[in-house]
Amino acid sequence: MPESFILIPGRTSRQGTTLNEGKLKGEYLRETNTVLMNPDDCRRLGLKGGERVRLRSAYGEAEALVEPAKPGELPSGVLFIAYGDTSSRLMGADTHGTGMPDSKGLDVTLEIPPSVLQ
Amino acid sequence: MNETKEVKIVENATCTFCGCVCDDMVLKVEGNRIVEAKNACVLGKAWFLNHHIEDRPVALIDGKPASLDAAVERAARILTEARYPVVYGLSDTTCEAQRIAVAIADRIGACVDTTTSVCHGPSGMAFQGVGEVTCSLGEVKNRADLVIFWGSNPAESHPRHMTRYSTMPKGLFVPRGRKDRTVVLVDVRRTKSAPAADIFLQIKPRKDFEALWALRALVKGVRLDDGIEAETGIPLAQLQDLAQRMKSCKFGVLFFGMGLSMTRGKHLNVEAALALARDLNEHTKFYIKPMRGHGNVTGADNVVSWQTGYPFGVSLARGFPRFNPGEFTTADTLARGEADAALIVASDPMANFSQPAREHLARIPYVVLDPKETPTVGHAAVAFTTATYGINTGGTVYRMDDVPLPLRPAFPSPYPSDEEVLRRIEEAIRRFQNN
Ligand code: SF4
């Protein structure tokens, strides 16, 4: 069953430092493709960290690695990801007349491929 | 071979990695490399120390190495022949280059838009609606005794904001620095900035508008009931406490981040914050500033404003400027499949835009100027490798508080500056148009 979450893309130090090494390099790609989840949600879903999950929004989908956030950092039901290609893929094109697509607080569903849970 | 590299020290250099634009860098330069960046934060160090002259062709046409002359001709041809061109990016280059990009847009009747539209564009709309009670970071440093960060994580996005400008420094009217100030953080996440705050309020996602209006009500003396906690995640007592602190401080400032401008509601969220700051001036001195991201995104707003009268999302197609976010902003003109060519300066829409916008961009011929290889460079009809502003070229940039600062480059680059390439493209366009 896909689980519903609110996804918050944002900046991180690592995204900023690895950006200077190159957007096409491994470190940047990993940082911007890792989604953080409340540790209680991880436990409930049987995720330990390092698994690949599938995120879907009304506009697109992307795969990402999942890692537990530090306790207290994220409320249950909220995911965080560093801005990058993955977050852009989930963003809609409609800007509601502002020029800015909804880029934070996105409704997404998260699906865990069966192979991960075996 | 034993090469002795010239070592030099560049004092008071300017970091252009983020909107703080710290201009107290001391750079140690060995030949074509910066080996030390004193005073830089972790992001600034990564910016300076990773910078080296890459071995890339000065220009590519359809992905193949080309001469600068040939690339200028092709770029000018694409832009002159386009019927609905867009000029986009501009926030990571100098004001001198930005003004030429706007001139090109004017000449070819393009929509000119900057990355502001996808960071604080909604804030720009809100400024027009409500106004901005503004001050410089110098005033914050010397006077602010209440500093609020809302939807912003300066510890990771602007690491020296707190230490250099807003919370730590000792100032004229806050002689004990941090001890004389109260720092409040409002965010959905308990970010790395939380330990630096005295008060942290964890707000529910997408409830900023409601919380800001609740504060406006409390500042005006309107009674609210406990239901506000279920709505916003913040207990009424904490909101009352914050409202009281805001009214009774001597000099308060609210720095807001993209947590407001990028979340549903966007300009309405920012309008709520601006109106709160305005209301507070009935009681005390209270200011509000956006936390601007890119090194010269504030310069882009300024340059586009003084050349067209509007900060971003401007169409020059009819020979006079028209401003309409949602219509002339690049995320929209691309996603709707309208633009038929583009000039992209120092930005990476192929990585940052929505899927429909990227797909359309991949279908049209476009010209890109960038010091580094990016996904946008990879799909360009014409790509120029340019010198990095602030490291290899001088010029002017605006700090996030609209203070212009000069750049002091560390060493020259074999590649031309954005300004030089744009000037040559503009000349070629003029030549084509006159023939
Ligand atoms: S705070 Fe920003 S401008 Fe200052 S050194 Fe760090 S990255 Fe550079």
Side-chain angles (χ1 to χ4, degrees):
Chain A
M1 258 292 282
E3 290 267 332
S4 294
F5 283 92
I6 293 178
L7 175 70
I8 313 242
R11 275 189 213 295
T12 65
S13 296
R14 274 199 70 71
Q15 178 236 14
T17 52
T18 56
L19 171 68
N20 287 299
E21 288 157 24
K23 271 193 164 176
L24 308 176
K25 303 234 167 97
E27 286 289 297
Y28 177 84
L29 295 175
R30 190 182 163 91
E31 177 69 6
T32 54
N33 188 237
T34 303
V35 58
L36 298 182
M37 184 187 277
N38 173 298
D40 295 336
D41 288 343
C42 283
R43 224 165 291 131
R44 186 169 52 79
L45 297 173
L47 297 167
K48 294 189 184 66
E51 294 92 347
R52 261 197 178 277
V53 295
R54 178 153 289 274
L55 299 170
R56 267 181 237 274
S57 71
Y59 316 103
E61 55 180 271
E63 276 195 7
L65 291 172
V66 70
E67 290 291 345
K70 282 205 220 75
E73 182 185 341
L74 280 178
S76 173
V78 177
L79 302 173
F80 174 81
I81 189 165
Y83 291 131
D85 183 64
T86 309
S87 64
S88 301
R89 281 177 194 281
L90 298 164
M91 190 172 85
D94 190 356
T95 72
H96 313 281
T98 65
M100 158 87 79
D102 285 348
S103 313
K104 281 184 188 275
L106 306 172
D107 286 312
V108 297
T109 58
L110 180 143
E111 226 174 282
I112 306 167
S115 55
V116 166
L117 292 176
Q118 273 159 22
Chain B
M1 206 167 69
N2 220 350
E3 251 181 79
T4 39
K5 287 184 185 150
E6 191 198 339
V7 177
K8 67 171 177 182
I9 304 290
V10 183
E11 305 236 14
N12 297 322
T14 306
C15 175
T16 51
F17 187 69
C18 86
C20 284
V21 193
C22 301
D23 57 347
D24 60 344
M25 301 288 120
V26 182
L27 304 178
K28 186 172 170 193
V29 185
E30 271 182 27
N32 274 350
R33 272 204 117 89
I34 297 165
V35 292
E36 246 178 71
K38 214 174 117 206
N39 294 338
C41 71
V42 48
L43 297 178
K45 282 208 164 71
W47 165 249
F48 286 116
L49 305 187
N50 280 303
H51 180 81
H52 43 91
I53 301 297
E54 291 181 34
D55 189 17
R56 286 172 53 210
V58 64
L60 298 167
I61 298 179
D62 299 323
K64 294 192 190 71
S67 70
L68 187 59
D69 290 343
V72 165
E73 291 290 306
R74 178 76 193 282
R77 184 68 70 192
I78 289 170
L79 296 169
T80 314
E81 286 170 0
R83 298 184 59 212
Y84 197 137
V86 299
V87 174
Y88 178 73
L90 302 178
S91 58
D92 271 323
T93 190
T94 59
C95 292
E96 288 78 0
Q98 289 164 349
R99 64 189 287 182
I100 304 172
V102 181
I104 291 176
D106 198 6
R107 201 158 271 293
I108 60 176
C111 286
V112 58
D113 188 33
T114 74
T115 65
T116 278
S117 64
V118 291
C119 69
H120 274 289
S123 310
M125 294 166 68
F127 293 148
Q128 294 175 355
V130 179
E132 181 192 18
V133 193
T134 179
C135 66
S136 74
L137 290 172
E139 286 173 278
V140 172
K141 173 185 170 181
N142 280 305
R143 294 171 190 270
D145 60 343
L146 176 66
V147 182
I148 302 171
F149 293 95
W150 195 307
S152 162
N153 176 15
E156 292 199 77
S157 58
H158 302 82
R160 290 184 80 217
H161 194 280
M162 287 183 166
T163 49
R164 186 153 194 254
Y165 304 114
S166 55
T167 70
M168 305 302 286
K170 296 189 168 91
L172 206 54
F173 299 99
V174 275
R176 296 182 306 151
R178 181 66 179 83
K179 290 198 191 85
D180 284 333
R181 309 183 205 259
T182 304
V183 179
V184 181
L185 179 72
V186 184
D187 206 325
V188 174
R189 291 188 298 140
R190 183 180 280 276
T191 61
K192 292 196 174 132
S193 301
D198 301 298
I199 300 169
F200 171 60
L201 304 179
Q202 194 157 13
I203 189 170
K204 279 190 182 171
R206 307 192 288 222
K207 291 295 177 187
D208 305 274
F209 180 85
E210 289 79 352
L212 287 161
W213 270 80
L215 284 167
R216 284 191 74 193
L218 292 169
V219 166
K220 290 242 184 243
V222 177
R223 288 163 73 99
L224 296 180
D225 66 46
D226 290 345
I228 196 71
E229 181 172 357
E231 185 64 24
T232 63
I234 306 174
L236 178 61
Q238 284 191 333
L239 288 171
Q240 283 166 331
D241 173 65
L242 180 57
Q244 194 47 44
R245 285 177 192 275
M246 290 195 291
K247 280 165 78 170
S248 58
C249 69
K250 290 206 183 87
F251 184 113
V253 59
L254 192 157
F255 291 106
F256 62 98
M258 297 192 293
L260 289 190
S261 61
M262 279 189 167
T263 307
R264 199 168 65 194
K266 297 170 200 147
H267 56 295
L268 300 175
N269 299 331
V270 179
E271 280 180 6
L274 296 175
L276 172 63
R278 186 191 57 196
D279 295 352
L280 282 159
N281 280 280
E282 280 180 26
H283 305 275
T284 184
K285 289 197 258 319
F286 209 96
Y287 301 86
I288 180 158
K289 292 298 294 173
M291 296 287 281
R292 303 308 307 270
H294 289 286
N296 198 24
V297 68
T298 309
D301 287 4
N302 277 280
V303 171
V304 178
S305 292
W306 57 250
Q307 291 208 331
T308 73
Y310 304 104
F312 64 95
V314 183
S315 169
L316 295 159
R318 290 195 188 158
F320 57 88
R322 287 177 300 152
F323 171 66
N324 196 11
E327 184 179 7
F328 304 134
T329 31
T330 307
D332 301 272
T333 49
L334 289 178
R336 282 197 302 261
E338 292 169 352
D340 65 349
L343 169 63
I344 295 161
V345 184
S347 114
D348 189 15
M350 265 308 180
N352 304 334
F353 274 6
S354 68
Q355 200 58 26
R358 295 191 217 188
E359 282 164 12
H360 185 68
L361 185 58
R363 282 194 292 268
I364 62 173
Y366 68 84
V367 179
V368 61
L369 280 66
D370 208 300
K372 288 204 187 270
E373 211 166 348
T374 65
T376 303
V377 168
H379 287 83
V382 185
F384 294 92
T385 308
T386 52
T388 302
Y389 81 132
I391 295 183
N392 307 127
T393 73
T396 312
V397 299
Y398 277 68
R399 200 168 64 187
M400 62 162 79
D401 56 346
D402 295 288
V403 171
L405 296 165
L407 298 176
R408 291 183 186 82
F411 60 90
S413 161
Y415 299 109
S417 65
D418 292 330
E419 185 186 351
E420 185 186 337
V421 173
L422 290 168
R423 197 180 294 284
R424 292 191 54 179
I425 294 175
E426 196 211 355
E427 281 164 10
I429 290 174
R430 207 178 310 178
R431 191 160 25 85
F432 290 153
Q433 287 178 336
N434 289 341
N435 285 338

